[in-house]
Structure formats: structure tokens, C-alpha cells
Amino acid sequence: MTFVAPPPAPARDPSDQTPSDHAQTDQPLTDRSGSDLTLSSDEVLRIRNDFPVLHQLVNGHPLAYLDSGATSQNPISVMEAEQEYYEQRNAAVHRGAHTLAFAATEVFEAARATVAAFVGAAENEIVWTSNATEGVNLVSYAFSNASLGLGGPAATRFRLGTGDEIVVTEMEHHSNLIPWQQLALRTGATLRFIPVRADGTLDMTAAGEILNPRTRLLAVTHASNVVGTINPIDDLVAMAHAVDALVFLDACQSAPHLALDLTALGVDFAVFSGHKMLGPTGIGVLYGKAELLAAMPPFLTGGSMITTVDMQGAEFLAPPQRFEAGTQRISQAIALASAVDYLSHTGMHRIRTREAELGRRLVEGVTAIPGVRLLGPGLGVERIGLAAVDVAGVHAHDVGQFLDEAGIAVRVGHHCAQPLHKKLGVTASTRASTYLYTTDDEVDRFLAVLAEVAPFFGVSR
Amino acid sequence: MTSSAMQQLYQQIILDHAKSANGAVAELAALDADAATAASAAGVRLAQSHQVNTTCGDEITVRVGLSGTGADARIDEFAWRGAGCSISMASASVLNDTVRGTTVAESEAMLDLFREMLRSRGTIEPDEEVLGDAAAFAGVSKYPARVKCAMLPWVAFEAALLQLAEPA
Ligand SMILES: Cc1ncc(COP(=O)(O)O)c(C=O)c1O
């Protein structure tokens, strides 16, 4: 893994050091001294100073932002990295022989290296997409194209037809479900799913029966955006690979919250979104094992992904460029790399531990409130800092309104997981989700206001 | 902390209607030819509309049955079935009380008033004499995200009426 050093920035006043300068010289953004296992409350307060958006009043109350599972906030260093790119290096990448184009290409590829290292991948295994959803579609359409015969003999393992099976789980986000439903419809393959048990965890016994030699692909989420659990990916990879199926991992809720090593996990593909991990919107990542990407036909085609073109056809570039048609999201990729630097300097192991504490605090709190039901397993099962609840007799939309009035931002609805909600016997839920900038006090405020919901709506006994 | 803003939005009338759910039925099967024929034998023209609020997943189905024609057409039957927040469910209950037994022209006038009030962002002081319980939704107009919730049953009602519109 080599890190392509960015070109020296134009001379500036040395006193004018911005966090993004630090990020590029690989120094800590702020003092993160002390190698404790978690983030202390002082540290969380220091981290919060890097996030301007958190310091505001909402409906007369300090904002308690408990919706990072939907989208996270950006630290100043990330916004500055994007601005610095536009101020100093903006140009088209991978083309042109001028100095600026060269500088832009270098920082763009350095961003790829940073993100690759963050998830234990090689640079040529990281494809930029606009978000995780696009990454799922990219792979599902590549399978489609292979099924039509594109990609030649090398693409045989992506070819699907009648008799082949695609396996998903009952807890998938719609973004890791609908593209596979559509792929099954286009190719004649059968879509099957691993059911969720009453406690919201995957039925691994059923998984053992459902994965069989006809299975060609297993698509599964790493951490659930509803029940907050971390799935046993090691076991699932072993089971899928034993029947020669590929594994596609939705890492949207894991990449931001734990130390992710995709190579060690052994998955074949993975996707995640920049905006859920302190980065901007408009950038996501598709990971694919090098030998698989090399064999896979492209989805989007056009400029920037070809070697030679004539009027009848074209030769394609090697991955990752083969899958990056058109002008890329350059500033967003650079900003995402800055976000990844921020996370790495803070320490993903510490973030995971801190969020497990917050998750426990949420679970203990919500289960102590009469009439509030936690979706998913209770204490004793590790969860990311996320808890979705059902308040008996009060619709989630009303719960969210009531919390918002107190300055507390949560997600209400089905969180793009309708089948899972149906399985758990509800149509909608209220979800609080944390991140490295969440304080204990914010969780406690959420719990206190949540306890007032049922009495206000007149459903307390 | 129960703020006055919350009490303004969730007026007691609204919470009560959300519970009583006037006009709600346990089942509302799709309108098939048999049901329509049976109704028309009794002199009633039936129509039904299903609406979903995609932002939150709230759903409602509204069925109306008209007797008579032209200006005299009257809402003889009204039933709904839905799942959703207290605002949308209360709104369906109020809709039932407001339009059942009125003429089409009267109900359309109410619909216009209700919509105008909800779109006013709190600037229209509702006339309780005219609107009755529907006036309680004035507070909702200050919450643009919730206007859709309150409108959902009325939009379904409007769509059902449209299906029964007579050629001019
Ligand atoms: C588990 C999971 N998968 C997929 C997605 C989709 O991410 P995006 O909308 O950024 O493509 C999300 C985010 O909502 C998610 O939580």
C-alpha cells in the first residue's frame, strides 16, 4: 500500500495552518493524546468543537443530533479540504498535461489510497460511486451485463439464469434489496432470503439451509440500521464460500462505526457511503476483490473508462477506472479522505467502544420506560450506537414531532427497511443513532422526553 | 416540558378524534364489480381511493357512496381504513363527521376551505362556525412537514369523488 503524496501546496503563511494541512501531513487534527480504550467525556466535548452544526438551538433547545445513522455531520477539516481543493487544485483528473490537472489527479488518487487503507483494501479495489446505493446497482447491473454475455468467458462467474439463486436477508435496507430483486427479474434467477428471528437477529440455522450449491450471491448487511446488531459476517462468508457463492457486504452502518478490514473479513464486494462517516454527500465506495473487478464487465460506460475506441466498439481500462465513467466526484473524494483521516486519528477501536457504551445507555434507558418496546435484542448483544423503538399507542411520526419540539433530532418511519418492520410487527419506529460527537447528556435528554410521549398522547395507564 | 407549541399542534380535539376514529372500518376490500353492482341496485354510486404518504408510510383508503345526481348528489356512504399518525387518523375521523350526509358541492367547498387553511402557514384564523372540528387543524399549518398528514384523507376523498364526477 503506497500513499501518493500530494504535491506541495503553494506557499502560504505558516501561521495559516488549517486542519486539512495537518491531515495531509498525517498529523493529528487535534490533540487526541492518551490511548484510552474509549473516548472520555472531555474528548467528546473537544470533538464537538470541530462540528459547527452541532452548536445551535432548535425550537429554543440545544440541538441533540441523534440521526447520524441517516447522515452524519462534517467536521471543519472536511469542509476545508473540499474548499482547499477548489481554491488550489481544481481540474479534470486523469487527462490533460497541465500542472493543475496533474495536481488534481494526485490528490484524487491519494484519497483513494487513504480510503483503501482505512478498510484494509488495495487501491485498485476501491471504486468511487455517488453513494452506497449506486454501488449495489453497479454490481447488480454488471451481473446483468455478464448474463447477457458481455465480459466474455472471464465473466462467467457473474452470469445468472434460471435455477440460480440470489440470497439476501430479511433485515436489508431497501438499497441492498431492490437492486437484487430487479436483478432476479432481469435474469430469471430466484431471490431467497435468510429470515430474521423474533429478537431481530439473523436465523443462522435457516441460513445454513438456504445457502446451497445453487446460491450464486449472498447480499447481507454488516450492521443493521434498525436493530443495531452486528451480523456474524465471518460465519456467513465461510458458509457462502463453501458453496462457491460470492458475498456482497453492505457496510453502510459499519464502516463509520468500527475498524473495518474487508480483506480479513473475506467478503467479495462491499459498499458504503461517505455522508454517514463525516464526509460530504455525493460520494460512496464500492470495494471489490481485485480479481473479481478485473473480470467484471462495466455498468456505466463512456468517457474516462476506455483505452481505445472505434466506431464499432471499445477496449476498457483496468479497474477501478473501468467502473468510473465520466468526470468523477473529485472534491467529494478528497473530502471523504479527510473524513477518514479524522476518524483514523480519533481511533476506530475507541469509536466502536464509545458507541457501544452509548448503545447500552440507550437500551437501558428505553427498556425502563413503560410502553416503549425496543426493536432488536436487549443488553448483552453488542450494538452500534443505535436503538429503534415503538411507543405503544403513539405513531412514530408523532413521537418524532414531540422530540423535535425539544430540539432532539431522530429518524421516524420504516428507515428503508419495510420488510424488517413488518416482521417485527410494526409499520414504523423511532430511531436514535449516535456518533463520536454524541454526549451522554444528549442520550439522557432523548430518554427523558421519550418518557413524556405516552402521557402527552394520553396512552399512559 | 410539554410545551404550549405541542398543545397547539395536538389539540385535545385532534387526540380525541385520533382515538374515536369516526367512520373507520376494520376491512375495506378493493371495490369489485359485485360491490358496485349491488350498490347501484340500491341507487348508490361507489368509488374508493387509496393514498400513501411516502415520507412516512401513512396509508388510507376512503370509500364514498353517492345517491342522487347533479347538484343534489349526496354523500350517503362514507368509510375509511388507515394506518398512520394521530394527525392523519384524526383528520380522517373529522372528514367523516364533516362530509357524511352533505351534498357534493358542500363537501367540495369544505375541502377548499380546509386546504386553504392548511396551506396558510398559520396565517388564516379558521371560522369554527363553518369548519367545526376541522378548525382544530389550524395549528398543523405551522408545520409544513405535517400538512401532508392532515391532507391525506381529504386527498383520498377528493380522488374518490373525481371518479364519480358526471360529464358536464
Ligand atoms: C444499512 C444501509 N444500507 C444502505 C444505505 C443507503 O445509503 P445511501 O442512501 O447513502 O446510498 C443506508 C443508508 O440509509 C443504510 O443504513
Side-chain angles (χ1 to χ4, degrees), chain A residues 52 58 163 174 187 197 370 457:
Chain A
V58 169
H174 296 163
T187 59
R197 296 184 300 201
F457 287 95

Coordinates of all heavy atoms in Angstrom, one line a residue, chain A residues 52 58 163 174 187 197 370 457:
Chain A
P52 N -19.4 22.6 13.6 CA -20.1 23.8 13.9 C -21.6 23.6 13.9 O -22.3 24.2 14.7 CB -19.8 24.7 12.6 CG -18.5 24.1 12.0 CD -18.5 22.6 12.4
V58 N -32.5 24.6 18.5 CA -33.6 24.1 17.6 C -34.9 24.2 18.5 O -34.9 23.6 19.6 CB -33.4 22.7 17.1 CG1 -34.7 22.1 16.5 CG2 -32.3 22.6 16.1
G163 N -32.7 -21.1 -12.3 CA -32.1 -22.1 -11.4 C -31.0 -21.6 -10.5 O -30.7 -22.2 -9.5
H174 N -33.6 -1.2 1.9 CA -34.1 -1.3 0.6 C -33.0 -1.2 -0.5 O -33.1 -1.8 -1.6 CB -35.2 -0.3 0.3 CG -36.4 -0.4 1.2 ND1 -37.3 0.6 1.4 CD2 -36.8 -1.4 2.0 CE1 -38.2 0.2 2.2 NE2 -38.0 -1.0 2.6
T187 N -32.8 -11.6 -14.9 CA -32.1 -12.8 -15.3 C -32.8 -14.1 -15.1 O -32.3 -15.2 -15.6 CB -30.8 -12.9 -14.5 OG1 -31.2 -13.0 -13.1 CG2 -29.9 -11.7 -14.7
R197 N -35.1 -13.6 13.2 CA -35.9 -14.2 14.4 C -36.6 -13.1 15.1 O -36.4 -11.9 14.9 CB -34.9 -14.9 15.3 CG -34.2 -16.1 14.6 CD -33.4 -16.9 15.5 NE -32.3 -16.0 16.1 CZ -31.2 -16.5 16.6 NH1 -31.0 -17.8 16.7 NH2 -30.3 -15.7 17.0
P370 N -42.1 2.5 30.6 CA -43.3 1.7 30.3 C -43.9 2.0 28.9 O -44.0 3.2 28.5 CB -44.3 2.1 31.4 CG -43.4 2.9 32.4 CD -42.3 3.4 31.7
F457 N -49.8 11.9 24.9 CA -50.8 11.5 23.9 C -51.9 10.7 24.6 O -52.7 10.1 23.9 CB -50.1 10.7 22.8 CG -49.3 11.6 21.8 CD1 -48.0 11.8 22.0 CD2 -50.0 12.3 20.8 CE1 -47.3 12.6 21.1 CE2 -49.3 13.1 19.9 CZ -47.9 13.3 20.1

